């Protein structure tokens, strides 16, 4: 799967680098990033729970039981991380209540929404491709401190970036081990790969919008007011 993702890696790396470029707009981009990633991360636990429930309804599928067990355990590990983003937003000067109430942009719905569809209407194994991309592109260990120094925001405003630089490395190893253990059919392997490629493309598009290389909102839609490498 990592080989299949290789062609998508340069675009995602370029979008990430542009998002975190050190210029006068970095503080506003960081706050926009927190808003967008809250929309992504608050869906993580419900999405894994939905996929685990689907696994429980597939007793004849040999993949379903180990996949469901992994998803339930991983959901617990991810629980509450959306609150980290709201706390980071508050420390960065944003209103966490407004962040929680705001309509997530279409780029977020595109990234997350496909996973709901595939989990509910195809096979929950596809969610592993989504998780592989998100946790396979963890923030660099030094990123939180660099952002704090460049923006002047308190170090406490970067908890999500700092924590995921550590957590996602271990999570990636666990997922790779699971993928090695699962006896996936060719169709299931394809579902994981399609999900992963879609996730890489959608995440690159989201970061490109946050980085200012594409509009963050459709024409006529209100943009969030500005305030002020990797993903959670």
């Amino acid at each position: 799967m990592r080989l299949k993702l290789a062609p998508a890696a340069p675009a995602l790396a370029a979008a990430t680098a542009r998002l975190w470029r050190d210029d006068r707009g970095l503080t506003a981009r960081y706050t926009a990033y927190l808003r967008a990633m809250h929309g992504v991360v608050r869906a993580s636990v419900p999405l894994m729970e939905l996929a685990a429930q689907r696994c429980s309804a597939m007793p004849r599928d040999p993949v379903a039981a180990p996949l469901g067990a992994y998803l339930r355990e991983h959901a617990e590990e991810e629980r509450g991380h959306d609150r980290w983003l709201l706390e980071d937003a508050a420390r960065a000067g944003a209103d966490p209540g407004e962040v929680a109430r705001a309509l997530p942009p279409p780029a977020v719905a595109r990234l997350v929404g496909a996973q709901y569809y595939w989990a509910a209407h195809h096979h929950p194994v596809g969610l592993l491709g989504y998780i592989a991309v998100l946790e396979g592109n963890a923030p660099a260990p030094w990123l939180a401190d660099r952002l704090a120094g460049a923006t002047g925001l308190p170090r406490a405003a970067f908890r999500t970036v700092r924590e995921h630089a550590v957590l996602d490395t271990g999570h990636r190893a666990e997922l790779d081990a699971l993928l090695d253990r699962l006896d996936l059919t060719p169709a299931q392997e394809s579902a994981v790969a399609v999900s992963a490629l879609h996730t890489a493309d959608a995440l690159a598009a989201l970061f490109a919008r946050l980085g200012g290389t594409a509009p963050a909102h459709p024409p006529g839609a209100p943009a969030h007011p500005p305030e002020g490498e990797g993903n959670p």
Side-chain angles (χ1 to χ4, degrees), residues 84-202:
W84 293 0
L85 285 153
L86 294 179
E87 292 165 0
D88 286 347
R91 290 164 180 150
D95 177 356
E98 190 278 330
V99 172
R101 292 189 301 271
L103 174 69
V108 169
R110 177 192 172 210
L111 172 64
V112 180
Q115 303 304 320
Y116 274 102
Y117 182 89
W118 284 324
H121 299 292
H122 183 61
H123 195 293
V125 74
L127 188 58
L128 297 182
Y130 176 77
I131 296 171
V133 172
L134 292 183
E135 296 188 341
N137 291 275
W142 43 261
L143 180 62
D145 288 338
R146 184 178 78 78
L147 292 176
T151 62
L153 294 172
R155 291 182 77 254
F158 299 90
R159 178 185 180 184
T160 304
V161 172
R162 184 174 291 107
E163 295 275 4
H164 278 271
V166 176
L167 293 174
D168 286 351
T169 301
H171 288 167
R172 172 175 171 163
E174 292 171 1
L175 177 57
D176 287 348
L178 174 69
L179 286 169
D180 287 341
R181 291 196 310 271
L182 293 179
D183 187 17
L184 299 178
T185 67
Q188 290 168 344
E189 289 182 0
S190 178
V192 174
V194 169
S195 171
L197 288 168
H198 169 80
T199 302
D201 180 68

Side-chain angles (χ1 to χ4, degrees), residues 32-83:
Y33 167 86
L34 293 175
R35 293 174 180 275
M37 293 313 298
H38 178 261
V40 174
V41 172
R42 72 179 177 185
S44 296
V45 171
L47 181 52
M48 285 186 278
E49 290 176 337
L50 169 67
Q53 289 171 1
R54 286 273 289 130
C55 288
S56 298
M58 305 167 70
R60 296 184 180 180
D61 188 329
V63 167
L67 174 60
Y70 165 81
L71 291 170
R72 285 187 288 272
E73 180 178 350
H74 198 47
E76 292 308 312
E77 293 171 348
E78 296 293 322
R79 196 174 301 278
H81 291 195
D82 54 327
R83 291 196 299 272

Side-chain angles (χ1 to χ4, degrees), residues 187-231:
Q188 290 168 344
E189 289 182 0
S190 178
V192 174
V194 169
S195 171
L197 288 168
H198 169 80
T199 302
D201 180 68
L203 187 62
L206 173 60
F207 282 3
R209 283 163 171 76
L210 295 174
T213 56
H217 299 268
H224 294 304
E227 299 178 42
E229 240 149 86
N231 53 276

